[in-house]
Every structure is written in C-alpha cells, then in structure tokens.
Amino acid sequence: MENYFQPEIECADRETILDLQNRRLVETVARVYANVPYYRNLMDKKGVKPEDIKGVDDLPRLPFLTKDDLRDAYPYGMLARPLADCVRIQSTSGTTGRRVVAFYTQNDLDAWDSCCARAIVAAGGGKEDVVHVCYGYGLFTGGPGLNGGSHMVGSLTLPMSSGNTERQVQFLCDLGSTILCCTPSYAAYKAETVHEKGARDKIKLKADIFGAEDWNDEMRRDIENSLGIRAHDIYGLTELCGPGVSFECSEQTGMHINEDQFIAEIIDPETGEVLPEGEVGELVFTSINKEAFPLIRYRTRDLTRLSRKPCSCGRTHVKMARLMGRTDDMLIIKGVNVFPSQIETVLINKGYPANYQLVVERVRNTDSLEVRVEMTPEMFSDNLGEVAAREKELANALKAMLGITAAVKLVAPKSITRSEGKAARIIDNRKI
C-alpha cells in the first residue's frame, strides 16, 4: 500500500494543482518585480509587467534566469525579502570564485523539509524508521535537506555526512538504519564494505534515496541486489532548494515534481520555445512558494522530458524522466558540480596555459578525476621532484576551487592533442 506524507497535495486533482499554481505564480511575479531590481530590469527589457501575468499560461512571456544572472547578482541582488527575515543560506561552488548563494526564511525551510519528507515517505519511510543521511552537510544542500525531511517525518535521523565508511557500516548495523540517503556511488562502495566485513545479515536497510550524481539502471539493480533494498531517485538544485524538487515513488519510472512548489517547463535549448509534453529538452523551473529567493523560469541546463501519464502510486504531480544529459559542459563528480571553466581559472592564475584534459573514471563505484595539464617551456624540467611539487601545489589549488580532490599530471608542452573544432577537454570513462 502506497504511503503519502501530504496526500491532500500529492494526490490533488489537476484542477486543484493548476489553481494553486496560478495563484502562487501571480503573487510571486508581483513580489519579485516589487522587491528585486535585477529581475524587474529583466522584465522591463522584455516589456512585461506583473499585471500581464494571469497564470501558468503566461509563463512564456517572462524572461529566463540563468546561473550567470545569479552570479552577476551575487550576493544579495536576487534577495526578495529583507535580510533580517532570512535564517540560512546554502551555496554552490563558483566557476570563477563567485558562488550562487540561496537564502531561506523559516517558511522556506519548512517547505523544503516537507518536500524531502514526501520523498522519504514515498521510499517507504515513516516514524518508526532510522534514516541514515550520508550526503555532505554544510553549504551543500544534500545533508541539510534530507536531515530536515527526516525530522519532519518523525524518523530517527543519523546525520552521518560522508566518509569514515567503517563507522558508517558500524552504525548501519548497531543502530538498525532502514533508509539510506547518499550518492549512488557511495552506496555502491558502502555495499562492498558491508560484504567485505561480513555484515550483510546484520543490516536492516529497506530503501535508499539517491541523488546528486548520474547513475543508470544497471547500477540501480546492482545496489538493490547487494543491499537487499529498493533504490529511489531524488532531484534538486541548490538554486531552488536542494534535494526534494522531485522524487521517485514505488513505480520507479520517473520523479514526481512537487508542483505546489515548482512549475516545470521543457524548452528547446537553442530557441527557448516551450516544447510539448513528452519531448526531450532543457528543464526550466519557476519556484512559486519561496519567500527569500524565488526564481522565475530558471534554466537548469539539464535535459529530460515530462509526463502526465497516470502513476500507479496515486500521486498526480507531473513526472520528469531521469536526466539525459546537459546543454553545457558541467560534470558531476562525487556529487559535486565541476565546470571546466573553474579549472581554467585555477590554471591561468597559476601561470599555466589553458590546454588541459579532464579524465573521469569510476573504479569500484567511486569517481576519480585526473587533470592533465601542459607545462610552459619555461616550466618544463627533467627534475622529477620539482614537477611533483608543482603537481601538489596545483592539486591543492584545484581542491580549494572544486571542493573535491583531483589528481594532477603535468605533461610536456604541446603534448595534448589540439583540435580544430571544440577542444576535447573531457574524457569521461564512466558508464552512466
């Protein structure tokens, strides 16, 4: 039997959802126009006023927002409420040191917790469960999001964060964790550790909630078989609220978008034209219940499709398919967004030429990143100690920028193949 956290919302009929979206959209547009000069300027340039927006059908009249807009407005330029009303920030890494900072009022946090609570209940969680959260905490949204959702459900919450896998396995066994929240690659690694320690019969896991990185059905089946669980997908963006924008139900055929909080569109990434249901395109979100940091028509750069086909779980909110790629060159490594432009910034600041390659591997279900960098003729040396010192210095600078460890391999000048077209910067050997 399917369980719901808020059945009156999750199973509402289409007319009820649309009425709610129309009302909240009109209110949000008026509030953003009045309180956010940056976005007011975008609307004025497009010749649209708040009174022109009567409901969801008028969304295409509004301008898009991009991550560049959020960086340009950093830190307070997109804030729609007084700073005194805000109680928390979350943040992404920045491509040139300028981060995207998302603000939350207490009502925003409560709404986010509700979205994550819906995901936990959809995965089979309840008050009697032990929710083991090993997403990262701090500025990253993964840990705080599922932590808050677990509290709202009333489950016992283990705020484990990531790393220290032996302790993770001990707590899985000793505290009887039943719901595991982490990246799929970390779950696979944890499964290997459980088997190596002969602890398979000691764990009580029944479900996983996976997000923050790409994975495929083969990986899902492997983890499910290894841990004896059902694995559920979850999707989110720091810019919107983190995990909980959408989540997978027992049907496991896509993620229900929380339509009382977000309006989803699929557009042609080249023309910006809204595409019909079922076509693959770029996912665009409008947040309609955020107080501090509402975003209107935010371009995610993620490629997917939407479907309103009735779901056997009983939920009526539209589904998005698993992501099918991106319109930019962002990589997701160990749950962290990595842009080549971030790496270019570090290289240029350190005096290296911007000719490099990124090699991504997945070994034993763990991602690794190697950055191959050409030295200038002046840097080139047969002194291995000097080269090693340079590699270590550059690796430290990259970690400070990216937030993850990358292996650095310095190579001879002009040894990386040039391209007459778009440079082949990325070699991704993962099967995802």
Side-chain angles (χ1 to χ4, degrees), residues 8-124:
E8 71 284 359
I9 298 174
E10 297 174 64
C11 302
D13 60 59
R14 180 63 188 151
E15 183 179 355
T16 299
I17 294 172
L18 193 54
D19 285 347
L20 179 63
Q21 288 184 330
N22 286 337
R23 175 171 55 81
R24 287 183 170 177
L25 175 63
V26 169
E27 292 171 353
T28 297
V29 170
R31 187 161 45 83
V32 168
Y33 188 88
N35 297 315
V36 183
Y38 189 99
Y39 196 73
R40 184 190 313 136
N41 182 53
L42 291 180
M43 286 181 63
D44 288 345
K45 284 182 179 178
K46 199 166 183 188
V48 61
K49 299 294 183 183
E51 53 268 25
D52 299 326
I53 307 303
K54 310 297 184 184
V56 174
D57 288 343
D58 294 320
L59 260 179
R61 304 183 66 176
L62 292 164
F64 291 113
L65 276 177
T66 67
K67 185 165 283 192
D68 285 341
D69 288 313
L70 303 189
R71 293 193 189 102
D72 289 344
Y74 172 91
Y76 297 125
M78 296 299 294
L79 197 57
R81 288 290 291 269
L83 195 59
D85 293 345
C86 300
V87 297
R88 191 198 295 176
I89 69 158
Q90 304 288 159
S91 178
T92 65
S93 62
T95 58
T96 58
R98 257 192 186 184
R99 296 174 173 268
V100 172
V101 177
F103 297 85
Y104 298 78
T105 65
Q106 186 58 54
N107 286 338
D108 292 336
L109 291 179
D110 292 343
W112 181 20
D113 289 348
S114 294
C115 288
C116 289
R118 295 176 194 176
I120 291 170
V121 173

Side-chain angles (χ1 to χ4, degrees), residues 28 50 64-67 69 75 106 136 139 144 162 170 184 189 192 218 224 248 276 305 310 337 362 368-369 418 420:
T28 297
F64 291 113
L65 276 177
T66 67
K67 185 165 283 192
D69 288 313
Q106 186 58 54
L139 291 175
S162 56
Q170 179 188 346
Y189 177 64
E192 291 179 357
E218 181 182 4
E224 287 184 333
E248 205 168 36
R305 66 165 66 93
N337 297 347
R362 180 167 285 173
S368 65
L369 171 64
R418 267 61 174 168
E420 293 182 1

Side-chain angles (χ1 to χ4, degrees), residues 188-201:
Y189 177 64
K190 195 185 298 287
E192 291 179 357
T193 306
V194 165
H195 283 270
E196 287 170 1
K197 292 187 171 297
R200 176 62 181 82
D201 295 335

